[in-house]
Each structure stands twice: as structure tokens, then as C-alpha cells.
Amino acid sequence: MNSKAIAPEYQGELRTVLGVNSSYEEVLTKASKARRGAGSSLEQARASLAVAEAYRRLGRVEEAGEAWRDSYRSARRTGEKAAMAWALWSGGTLARQCGTLPLARRLLTHALDLAEGSGDRVAYGYCLAGLAETGRIQGDYAAVGELHAELLAQARAHGEPRHIVWALSGIAQMHRNTGALDEALEMFEESVRTAAAGDDARGHAWSMRGVADVLSAQGHPERALELLSEAEVICRRMDLKSALAYNHKMRGNVLYRAGRYESARSVYAGALAEFRAMNEPRGAALSRLGLVRAQYFMGASDASTLDELNALEREVARIGLRQAAETIRAFRARVEAPERTAERTRP
């Protein structure tokens, strides 16, 4: 395995001055300077790609959209299929982040076709991974489970710590969501070790969030909260706005499972505000769901809870979040159950 993770989205001269742990404010500054000084369309495409990725990770989605389109237009002028594939990969990833999953699939599929014909193995791997992650987020585990495993095998064969972390985390998340907690914990912990060994701070933060989730589900909330605090430090240091918001949403989940509803409500509300500020509807919907459930156990009426759940069900259906839809249906059944007791003590 390579001793250190790399960031292949930083290309050309930027590859020599930016790395996987560069803060996104630093990436934005250096990539914007490179874009202004670009001497060719290919240089413009590469710089705009880095600008797009910095804006995306900072939660500035409108600027990210403009930048990846500029990257694609510049790449198309050169006829470089790999550069066009990278630009569309960025656009597809942004679309997934913004909750427009059908658009994400279209862009990533087109990117994959371009990458396959370009000879750029890494671009092809990233586009394939993007499609796999989109399917996983939608809950289409049957379709993407084998793909995740294939990508993990490829990443191990080529010694790519960043992709190993991604694939391990994706498989672990599917185990987590289907109730195989021991398997999920084992893979998330391997992901943490791999990220640490590869000096991949971002992957380390995301993997710790996964470990915290499983530990919380296994009844260890305090250790879960400690891990989330450690991950939050990394998110803040690297300006990972989206990852930080998901960290906060997970903190809300841990508090909710522990029956600390007032604290959970406060944290969910903060995460919801963060997601709305960066126009990230998937995170916003998940935070709203947590908020509704916490408020229910704090005494919200059945009627108001059901109204919120109905609105949320329409939203997650629009985005295409199967796992969230199942959670909503299960919670609605609990609220509507005639045998439900008046006492609300545990989720």
C-alpha cells in the first residue's frame, strides 16, 4: 500500500502544492490563482476542477456548480476525455450532495464512459465509486454491494489508501443499516486505521463518525460522543462544512438513542440550520427526521408529529432515500399504534 493518501483531483501544477489534507480555503485560494493564470484550456480545466471541489466541500454549492461547468467546457475545448470525466465526476458528486440523485447518476454515468475511453484508471475508479455511493445512499444495496467489494479489491491491489477507506466505509455503512453491527464496526475500525496510516485526515474523520454510530447503536454513547468530538476537530481544521454538519447530525442520533431528547433536539436543530445554509437537502431531511422524533418524545402531539412525518416522507421520496423512508414508516407505525403507552421513555 502507498504510505500516504493522494488527492488526484488536484492536477497539473496544483498537484505539487496541494495535498489530501490541504484545507479547502487553501485549495480555493491556490486553485483560483492558478485559474486566473492558466495559459491553456487544459490548465483552466484542471484549476477549475480544484476550485469546484473546494467550493463543494465548503458548502458553497452555486459557486461549485459554476466551477465544474467551467472545467468541463475548458476540457471539451481540448478534447481531453479524462479532463472532461473529472469535471463531470465533480458535477455528479455535487448533484448527489445536493440531493438530486437522478442527475448525479446521469452525470457520473457519462463521466464513467469518458473515463473508460481515456485510459485514466484513477478517473475511471472515482467515477465508478461515485455511482456506487449514489446507489448506496438511495438504499439500492443489491445493485451496489458487489460493486463496493470490487472497488475495495482494486484499491487494495493498487495500494490506494483513500479509496480503500471509501470502500470500507461504504460496505460498513451497508452492514450498519442492515443490522450487522459487529461486521460494520470491524470494517469502520479498519477504515480508521487505514486512514490514519495513509495520513488521510478527511477519511479519518468520516470513519470515526461511522465507528461512533455503531458504538452508539451497541449502547456506548459516551465513547461515541468522544469520537465525534475528535472528528469534529479535524472537520474544523480542514473547513469540511458538509462533514461537520453530518458529524453534528450523528451527535444528535447518539443523544437521541441515549434518551437525552432535549440535547438531541438542540443538536439536530443546529445541524438542520447548517445543511440549509449549504443547500444540502439530504442532510436537512435526516436532521428534520431526528428533530421530529426527539420532539415527539418531549411531548409533541401525535397530530403534529404525523404531519411532520408526512411532509418528510414526500421529501425523502423526492430525493430517493429508501433507508430514511423505511425509518419514517416505522416511526409512523409507532405513533399510530393503538397499544402505544402514554409514557415516552426510549426510542
Side-chain angles (χ1 to χ4, degrees):
M1 181 187 296
N2 294 335
S3 59
K4 300 296 180 184
I6 61 171
E9 64 268 35
Y10 307 144
Q11 302 169 5
E13 291 185 4
L14 289 173
R15 183 167 292 172
T16 65
V17 296
L18 295 173
V20 69
N21 293 328
S22 298
S23 78
Y24 289 105
E25 290 291 356
E26 178 189 4
V27 173
L28 183 58
T29 297
K30 291 182 177 179
S32 296
K33 181 179 179 181
R35 184 163 66 166
R36 290 192 297 270
S40 68
S41 291
L42 184 56
E43 290 177 6
Q44 176 89 8
R46 288 170 169 170
S48 292
L49 172 65
V51 168
E53 285 301 286
Y55 275 135
R56 182 177 68 79
R57 263 69 176 264
L58 290 167
R60 297 168 60 178
V61 296
E62 291 186 6
E63 294 99 324
E66 293 172 1
W68 82 255
R69 290 182 179 89
D70 180 67
S71 178
Y72 180 74
R73 288 191 295 267
S74 299
R76 190 170 57 186
R77 286 196 295 271
T78 72
E80 288 279 349
K81 290 185 177 180
M84 287 189 280
W86 277 110
L88 290 174
W89 165 79
S90 180
T93 306
L94 176 66
R96 184 176 65 241
Q97 179 173 315
C98 292
T100 50
L101 300 184
L103 175 60
R105 279 184 177 273
R106 289 198 300 273
L107 291 174
L108 289 165
T109 299
H110 187 23
L112 187 68
D113 291 340
L114 288 167
E116 186 173 22
S118 74
D120 188 329
R121 181 189 61 80
V122 178
Y124 183 82
Y126 267 62
C127 296
L128 201 60
L131 280 170
E133 184 165 354
T134 302
R136 178 177 58 78
I137 288 171
Q138 289 179 302
D140 193 5
Y141 299 160
V144 301
E146 290 186 6
L147 182 54
H148 276 73
E150 177 188 344
L151 288 165
L152 177 58
Q154 290 178 7
R156 291 193 194 277
H158 292 286
E160 295 168 338
R162 198 180 186 197
H163 253 197
I164 292 172
V165 168
W166 174 85
L168 282 170
S169 296
I171 297 169
Q173 190 64 54
M174 287 187 281
H175 282 314
R176 160 68 181 101
N177 290 346
T178 54
L181 297 184
D182 290 341
E183 291 89 339
L185 183 60
E186 181 179 349
M187 298 195 81
F188 273 130
E189 288 180 335
E190 183 183 352
S191 183
V192 169
R193 293 192 298 271
T194 304
D199 194 25
D200 176 6
R202 181 174 178 271
H204 197 178
W206 277 104
S207 300
M208 282 197 292
R209 174 180 170 271
V211 173
D213 183 24
V214 178
L215 288 176
S216 168
Q218 292 179 328
H220 306 289
E222 296 309 320
R223 179 56 184 150
L225 292 171
E226 290 173 4
L227 286 173
L228 289 171
S229 294
E230 292 178 33
E232 180 167 347
V233 172
I234 297 173
C235 292
R236 291 190 182 279
R237 184 176 75 241
M238 295 185 64
D239 306 309
L240 299 172
K241 297 292 194 302
S242 180
L244 181 61
Y246 276 104
N247 179 291
H248 291 159
K249 196 272 297 180
M250 183 58 68
R251 180 175 291 273
N253 289 358
V254 172
L255 294 167
Y256 171 77
R257 291 177 195 138
R260 295 157 63 176
Y261 304 122
E262 186 171 353
S263 295
R265 180 178 64 175
S266 176
V267 174
Y268 281 134
L272 177 58
E274 290 175 288
F275 284 122
R276 283 176 169 167
M278 67 182 77
N279 188 27
E280 192 162 332
R282 179 167 69 96
L286 296 174
S287 298
R288 280 179 64 196
L289 177 55
L291 192 59
V292 169
R293 295 196 298 176
Q295 289 172 334
Y296 175 76
F297 284 100
M298 292 181 67
S301 70
D302 290 0
S304 65
T305 300
L306 291 171
D307 284 345
E308 286 287 337
L309 290 175
N310 290 337
L312 267 172
E313 188 167 39
R314 291 191 293 271
E315 176 66 3
V316 301
R318 182 189 67 79
I319 299 171
L321 304 177
R322 298 183 188 178
Q323 186 76 24
E326 291 175 6
T327 301
I328 290 170
R329 285 193 290 270
F331 197 75
R332 178 191 288 111
R334 176 174 189 152
V335 175
E336 293 176 334
E339 67 274 15
R340 176 181 54 84
T341 63
E343 185 179 13
R344 301 171 177 177
T345 57
R346 281 289 184 270

